[in-house]
Amino acid sequence: MPAAMTMPATVHEAEAIQEDLRTRLDPTGPGPRDPALVAGVDVAYAGDRLAAAVVVLGGPTLEVVEQVTVPGRVAFDYVPGLLAFRELPSLVEALERLTVTPDLIVCDGYGVAHPRRFGLACHLGVLTGLPTVGVAKTAFVGSHEEPGRERGSWSELRLDGDVVGRVLRTQDRIKPVFVSTGHAVDLETACHNVLALTPHHRLPETTRAADRLSRDALQAALKGVGFNSR
DNA sequence: GCGACAG
DNA sequence: ATCTTGTCGC
């Protein structure tokens, strides 16, 4: 169902594609309040080898419903602001192989809190047509105040006078995460869902599960396990 | 011009 | 992202 990922050959070309995709973004849609199926996505690397992973968790229990991994090669070097072109080709492929359709996708990185207001989560949302949110571990763009020290506390992340996300504390006294909307969800709903996904840890269970799976899949691919070890 | 810069 | 041991703490 997702549209194919277009691979640019240059940074300038990538920015042009980004600008085009941005016209299809829905930065407001309410989005799912308590999604039945939430997907986590991540990619692990080793030189030019990589492994993308998607893990779908279900309901309030956060049980694993389905998981898919896709081995591959790096096709676009990392450039701040263009992370999507490095991670998405394999991730879109993995999402296409899912037999269930997630109600929400949680990405590792930013959504509209981006230099050109179109980060990884936005790309994935527009490409799949599904609601997406970005949850990043470190600062990238924007300025903010330190949020309160209890879980649930947050402060605005602003860029050029606009609120582009929230710095959200997911655990008491623990370093907060940076939440920004990707596609078809509003910031309030995004944060509500992130809190529902962080009952015991700083990062969403979806992110933790996808991170582990991508690393395992990468190791398996490097050892030549399975059939897709090209 | 110089430094910063998701993962 | 990745390179990397032990160690402090729940």
Side-chain angles (χ1 to χ4, degrees), chain A residues 65-82:
Chain A
V65 170
E66 182 174 17
Q67 43 184 39
V68 174
T69 62
V70 171
R73 300 275 186 178
V74 171
F76 197 89
D77 288 324
Y78 172 69
V79 175
L82 298 177

Side-chain angles (χ1 to χ4, degrees), chain A residues 162-178:
Chain A
D162 301 318
V163 173
V164 295
R166 285 184 187 175
V167 180
L168 179 67
R169 191 85 68 181
T170 55
Q171 294 299 324
D172 293 358
R173 307 283 234 155
I174 299 301
K175 186 181 192 294
V177 296
F178 299 76

Side-chain angles (χ1 to χ4, degrees), chain A residues 5 7 18 76 78-79 81-91 114 118-124 127:
Chain A
M5 178 71 203
M7 278 310 293
Q18 211 164 53
F76 197 89
Y78 172 69
V79 175
L82 298 177
L83 175 65
F85 296 97
R86 176 181 171 79
E87 309 221 311
L88 292 194
S90 301
L91 281 182
H114 175 278
F118 203 76
L120 175 66
C122 299
H123 277 263
L124 196 54
L127 256 36

Side-chain angles (χ1 to χ4, degrees), chain A residues 2 15 23 51 54 71 75 80 90 99 127 130 145 148 165 169 174 204-205 216:
Chain A
E15 295 178 333
T23 66
V54 177
S90 301
T99 64
L127 256 36
L130 299 173
E145 302 292 294
R169 191 85 68 181
I174 299 301
E205 287 303 314
D216 291 348

